[in-house]
Amino acid sequence: MAKDKIKKPRRPRAETPRGFRDYFGAEVRARATMLGRITDVYHAYGFDPLETSAVETVEALGKFLPDVDRPNEGVFAWQDEDDSWLALRYDLTAPLARVYAQNRMRLPSPYRRYQIGPVWRNEKPGPGRFRQFYQCDADTVGSGNVAADAEICAMLGDALEAAGIARSDFVVRINNRKVLNGVMETIGLLDPSDPEKDSARRGIVMRAIDKIDRLGPEGVRLLMGPGRKDESGDFTAGAGCGAEEADLVLAFMAARGSDGAATCARLRELVGASAAGLAGVEELEAIAELLQARGASGVIDPSVVRGLGYYTGPVYEAELTFDVVGDDGKPRQFGSVAGGGRYDDLVKRFTGEAVPATGISIGVDRLLAALGEKGRLASEEAGPVVITVMDRDAMPGYQAMAAELRAAGIRAEVFLGGGGMGKQLKYADQRRSAVAIIEGADERDRGVVQIKDLALGAQLASEIESHDDWKAQPAQVEAARDQLVAEVRAMLARGSGGQP
Amino acid sequence: MAKDKIKKPRRPRAETPRGFRDYFGAEVRARATMLGRITDVYHAYGFDPLETSAVETVEALGKFLPDVDRPNEGVFAWQDEDDSWLALRYDLTAPLARVYAQNRMRLPSPYRRYQIGPVWRNEKPGPGRFRQFYQCDADTVGSGNVAADAEICAMLGDALEAAGIARSDFVVRINNRKVLNGVMETIGLLDPSDPEKDSARRGIVMRAIDKIDRLGPEGVRLLMGPGRKDESGDFTAGAGCGAEEADLVLAFMAARGSDGAATCARLRELVGASAAGLAGVEELEAIAELLQARGASGVIDPSVVRGLGYYTGPVYEAELTFDVVGDDGKPRQFGSVAGGGRYDDLVKRFTGEAVPATGISIGVDRLLAALGEKGRLASEEAGPVVITVMDRDAMPGYQAMAAELRAAGIRAEVFLGGGGMGKQLKYADQRRSAVAIIEGADERDRGVVQIKDLALGAQLASEIESHDDWKAQPAQVEAARDQLVAEVRAMLARGSGGQP
């Protein structure tokens, strides 16, 4: 048989691209509500909104590797018609640095701004890992005062509370990169006159500190010394420090005292003669004092590292302290939902002039998940009142009912699909509607409407077994046409728990 | 002299990419307020929000030209690691068609959805023409009933009114592609059994109709017949129709009567025996009746064409009817801010099955500009109360003041930059703050604060000439520290017009 060589034109696939997703109805509204509450707090603190475009020059994002003429991995990039490289932003901080450098003559100083929006990462997607996600940032640019850091921490606490997380369910943990650097100096891993030296060994120690929860003190000790073989047999090289140095780092990690003052006093001992370390401790003392004065959440915690290399001073992290069930079925702390810190060099890339800046980024999806865990998301709202269509010629009358309900603040729609009453009620059910309106020729003649309590109907149906019983239940009332709005309002107010 | 060949590493340019822009403070808030009002209307009509990702496969967007292996011009596209082509969406309708096809088994039918968000066009930017801009769409998918079109038109009117455009300042004009097709049949330019035939000539006539305001009847007549030479001497080829055909098209354009019924009656005569034309007139009659029954805005206007090829039935356009001063200094009508129509073939691309759909897109930037013209944008709000810093050691006390004001619902911030009182008040001025607080050591000792009415100060400064006079004016009051909130609230309530 001759093979048919004519290709059938293939239909396009109706699919989101790999690693992208859609958000429907209640998800969109829940996020908007949460972000509205957070930005109300930012606004009350004097922060102004900023919206940059999704697209930046790769040059402005700083995503060219040295001596490579294509953009760095990790961004979605393409070449514009004039051959310049453009890319989707991968965070909201790089665009802020560009905006500040571009507009520094006309922006107030300090410039407090917040920005909410999607960012894009050209990374391998995985379960729950998407290549587009929201960030919600607030930054103060142009103030080197640690009062700006304290303000951001206090505001973060207020924002989380406004979003629906109780004060008792989170903690803002604060550390300072300068203190970490002081410890590195003290153990001989950082020479202030040659800061590039030993950066690889410092990296090993930082990563070990970051993982102390999982590794335990012994694991940190191994990584600081000869290296560590994990359970799978993989060997991680160590930093080659001695036992005394490891003791000092572990003492540093355990320096958290009963309050900020006690922690800072202990840190002061540990950083010894390091000038950077002492400066860092003084900043933490000032932040602790400011937070305590206003009763704001915030604890000095030397184990906070924060990954990003660009932080230069205070770093902070908001952690949710309630338990959730992990993938392994065991309870674990929910963990981090926001983080940030001081970065004094981002604007300098553009202008050559250092501009101090500090800020926070909230992980929007993580926080939404947390609110879901705590049952603090607005439960999926009921759908609109559905006005069924018995008779297409009566459409103007059905639309008038919908208009009356809307004018009274009640969400309502006329069924505009095809099909009989069964299909229409099924549609109302799918929309989670609490109420449906029925008006046939008979009702119209008599000047009445049937009002069906769908929520009550569903409840009754789940309580009784016989289909006949169900039909006999009073989940439907007849009302005068001119009482439509009043009756619907009363039915909605009763909710599904009441009796008609 | 030897030329220095060592290149200095160049700093990145702090610039938005060509054709992109940033939105600051008041602009972001004005847009959010307007869109919030519009989506409240959409929500009341039973529409659900949808948020698709910015990125789609080029295949799903339908932006591959036949026999070309690179995406169409007009989109920003790049190749993913698995070699598939991705692109930024260029509108919100193509993603909706993809979403509906992908989720049609679980979405309600009809599916009413709205979506707001940026779209991207890879086009030559120009003054006021950007490559990223907002759209605000509402569509009903899965209903072939013209009541869905009437609903969209009524909702569009309600949305514009909610946004701040008075009913007397806009009109929703409605036409039907089927009627246009009927006219084309009647003049012999459309053969229902061979719809591809004469499409170029039909295109000439459609474009002529679309431009009648500018060309006048004589221009349309020339374009329908032999062609037309414009003022610059450029010649546009004509459709080659006779005088009788041109008469019929001009009669069609002039068919608008005193009300929808009169217009439809005239259209019925003009489409003669065309089955498509008569079906279109009947749809317009039904829409006019539904709109009239609810007193909704909407006029049947045969001159509405709407450019997009994919419309298959009713088309509509919201036009603002007030005058603005044009680029030439002459008054002209503000014009179109929204448009849409019925498109029954977009989902079919994916599934092979025709799904009727109709919807509207509001041009967000145009509507914002219109609200600006009418003075209906919330005037740029006053900045936060600024608490000046006389003494850094007193920072906890200044922050307490800010916290008290915020708790009372008053936006407030502590000045965190460097510099003395002059610089701090200049900052407050730049932020458009109405009130500044001053507390030095003397005030602290006496338990008072100075509250400066910056709005009144600015007003007095503009009214009087001598600097000494200005200093003597009572734009500053002293208040007991525990009366701070009450005094600030009173000063804000007085506004800049009152007397202290």
Side-chain angles (χ1 to χ4, degrees), chain B residues 66-229:
Chain B
D67 306 320
V68 174
D69 65 355
R70 279 190 64 90
N72 197 347
E73 300 286 302
V75 297
F76 291 108
W78 63 90
Q79 225 162 349
D80 202 4
E81 270 147 33
D82 64 3
D83 289 344
S84 65
W85 281 92
L86 303 179
L88 293 177
R89 64 183 180 219
Y90 60 88
D91 71 5
L92 301 175
T93 311
L96 171 64
R98 191 265 304 152
V99 164
Y100 190 84
Q102 185 172 350
N103 301 281
R104 63 192 182 282
M105 295 313 177
R106 66 181 192 85
L107 287 174
S109 176
Y111 176 51
R112 288 178 173 94
R113 87 87 181 81
Y114 65 83
Q115 182 166 6
I116 294 174
V119 300
W120 292 266
R121 303 270 168 94
N122 190 358
E123 288 168 356
K124 214 178 132 116
R129 269 175 71 90
F130 294 98
R131 303 207 285 175
Q132 171 176 332
F133 54 92
Y134 266 74
Q135 287 190 338
C136 173
D137 284 22
D139 294 79
T140 299
V141 183
S143 173
N145 192 329
V146 289
D149 301 278
E151 180 181 79
I152 293 269
C153 290
M155 184 170 76
L156 174 59
D158 287 353
L160 292 175
E161 192 179 17
I165 305 286
R167 289 266 167 201
S168 54
D169 275 335
F170 70 86
V171 60
V172 178
R173 298 157 68 217
I174 303 161
N175 195 8
N176 195 320
R177 275 290 161 86
K178 292 178 186 168
V179 178
L180 277 171
N181 288 342
V183 171
M184 295 295 168
E185 278 185 38
T186 309
I187 62 174
L189 281 191
L190 177 60
D191 176 354
S193 67
D194 184 7
E196 290 306 307
K197 204 178 122 192
D198 290 324
S199 66
R201 291 174 71 202
R202 282 200 304 279
I204 294 171
V205 177
M206 297 280 251
R207 282 191 293 278
I209 292 175
D210 209 18
K211 290 183 190 158
I212 189 166
D213 281 350
R214 198 157 55 75
L215 304 176
E218 272 321 297
V220 172
R221 216 176 266 282
L222 286 170
L223 283 171
M224 286 202 57
R228 177 178 175 271
K229 194 179 276 189

Side-chain angles (χ1 to χ4, degrees), chain A residues 43 51 80 134 143 411 416, chain B residues 43 51 134 143 411 416:
Chain A
H43 188 253
E51 187 169 325
D80 202 5
Y134 266 74
S143 174
R411 193 180 183 209
L416 292 180
Chain B
H43 188 253
E51 187 168 324
Y134 266 74
S143 173
R411 193 180 183 208
L416 291 181

Side-chain angles (χ1 to χ4, degrees), chain A residues 10-18 20-26 28-29 31 43-57 59-60 73 76-78 80-82 86 88 98-99 101-103 105-112 114 120 122 131-132 134 142-145 147-148 150-151 289-290 293-294 348-352 381 384 392 395-396 399 403 406 410-417 427 430-431, chain B residues 10-18 20-26 28-29 31 43-57 59-60 73 76-78 80-82 86 88 98-99 101-103 105-112 114 120 122 131-132 134 142-145 147-148 150-151 289-290 293-294 348-352 381 384 392 395-396 399 403 406 410-417 427 430-431:
Chain A
R10 193 173 63 77
R11 287 194 197 117
R13 272 185 295 261
E15 281 172 12
T16 41
R18 210 165 45 95
F20 292 87
R21 57 161 296 193
D22 303 310
Y23 294 83
F24 292 87
V28 179
R29 289 177 69 83
R31 184 173 57 202
H43 188 253
Y45 271 79
F47 284 66
D48 276 343
L50 170 69
E51 187 169 325
T52 63
S53 65
V55 179
E56 295 278 348
T57 65
E59 175 183 356
E73 301 285 300
F76 290 107
W78 63 90
D80 202 5
E81 271 147 33
D82 64 2
L86 303 180
L88 292 177
R98 191 266 304 154
V99 164
Q102 184 172 351
N103 301 281
M105 295 313 177
R106 66 180 191 86
L107 287 174
S109 177
Y111 175 51
R112 289 178 172 94
Y114 64 84
W120 292 266
N122 191 359
R131 304 207 284 175
Q132 171 177 331
Y134 266 74
S143 174
N145 192 330
E151 178 180 79
E289 187 197 354
L290 284 166
R294 16 185 324 182
K348 192 177 180 182
R349 284 184 57 233
F350 294 103
T351 62
E381 61 173 0
R392 286 210 174 193
M395 189 61 86
Q399 291 207 329
R406 284 176 207 136
I410 298 167
R411 193 180 183 209
E413 59 174 56
V414 177
F415 182 77
L416 292 180
Y427 168 85
Q430 195 181 2
R431 302 245 29 209
Chain B
R10 193 174 63 78
R11 288 196 195 116
R13 272 184 296 261
E15 282 172 11
T16 42
R18 210 165 46 94
F20 292 88
R21 58 162 293 192
D22 303 311
Y23 294 84
F24 291 87
V28 179
R29 290 177 69 83
R31 184 172 57 201
H43 188 253
Y45 270 79
F47 285 65
D48 277 343
L50 170 70
E51 187 168 324
T52 63
S53 65
V55 179
E56 296 278 346
T57 65
E59 176 184 355
E73 300 286 302
F76 291 108
W78 63 90
D80 202 4
E81 270 147 33
D82 64 3
L86 303 179
L88 293 177
R98 191 265 304 152
V99 164
Q102 185 172 350
N103 301 281
M105 295 313 177
R106 66 181 192 85
L107 287 174
S109 176
Y111 176 51
R112 288 178 173 94
Y114 65 83
W120 292 266
N122 190 358
R131 303 207 285 175
Q132 171 176 332
Y134 266 74
S143 173
N145 192 329
E151 180 181 79
E289 187 198 355
L290 284 165
R294 11 182 332 180
K348 191 178 181 182
R349 284 185 57 233
F350 295 102
T351 62
E381 61 173 1
R392 285 211 175 192
M395 190 60 86
Q399 292 207 328
R406 283 175 207 137
I410 297 168
R411 193 180 183 208
E413 61 173 56
V414 177
F415 182 77
L416 291 181
Y427 168 85
Q430 197 179 1
R431 304 253 16 219

Side-chain angles (χ1 to χ4, degrees), chain A residues 139-357:
Chain A
D139 294 79
T140 299
V141 182
S143 174
N145 192 330
V146 289
D149 301 278
E151 178 180 79
I152 294 268
C153 291
M155 185 170 75
L156 175 58
D158 287 353
L160 292 175
E161 192 179 18
I165 305 287
R167 290 265 166 203
S168 55
D169 275 335
F170 70 87
V171 60
V172 178
R173 299 157 67 216
I174 303 162
N175 195 8
N176 195 320
R177 275 290 162 86
K178 292 178 186 166
V179 178
L180 277 171
N181 288 343
V183 171
M184 296 294 168
E185 279 185 38
T186 309
I187 62 174
L189 281 191
L190 176 61
D191 177 355
S193 67
D194 183 6
E196 289 307 306
K197 205 179 121 191
D198 291 324
S199 66
R201 291 174 70 200
R202 283 201 303 279
I204 294 171
V205 177
M206 297 279 251
R207 281 190 294 278
I209 293 175
D210 208 19
K211 289 182 190 157
I212 189 166
D213 281 350
R214 198 157 55 74
L215 303 176
E218 271 322 297
V220 171
R221 214 175 267 283
L222 286 170
L223 282 172
M224 285 202 57
R228 177 177 175 271
K229 194 179 275 190
D230 68 17
E231 285 139 25
S232 72
D234 284 348
F235 181 76
T236 307
C241 299
E244 208 171 316
E245 283 77 22
D247 284 344
L248 197 134
V249 165
L250 287 168
F252 167 73
M253 306 281 294
R256 192 168 148 185
S258 57
D259 62 13
T263 307
C264 289
R266 179 76 181 115
L267 289 176
R268 200 176 268 277
E269 294 168 22
L270 291 169
V271 296
S274 159
L278 284 172
V281 174
E282 276 164 22
E283 289 179 1
L284 286 179
E285 284 168 344
I287 292 173
E289 187 197 354
L290 284 166
L291 291 176
Q292 201 180 359
R294 16 185 324 182
S297 321
V299 298
I300 307 299
D301 185 337
S303 68
V304 175
V305 173
R306 304 265 336 136
L308 290 177
Y310 61 62
Y311 291 123
T312 54
V315 288
Y316 27 89
E317 192 157 58
E319 226 170 56
L320 305 193
T321 50
F322 56 83
D323 282 350
V324 290
V325 176
D327 294 337
D328 54 3
K330 292 180 191 157
R332 56 166 184 77
Q333 274 209 348
F334 189 93
S336 175
V337 291
R342 179 165 285 281
Y343 51 97
D344 286 345
D345 295 331
L346 282 189
V347 177
K348 192 177 180 182
R349 284 184 57 233
F350 294 103
T351 62
E353 230 174 308
V355 177

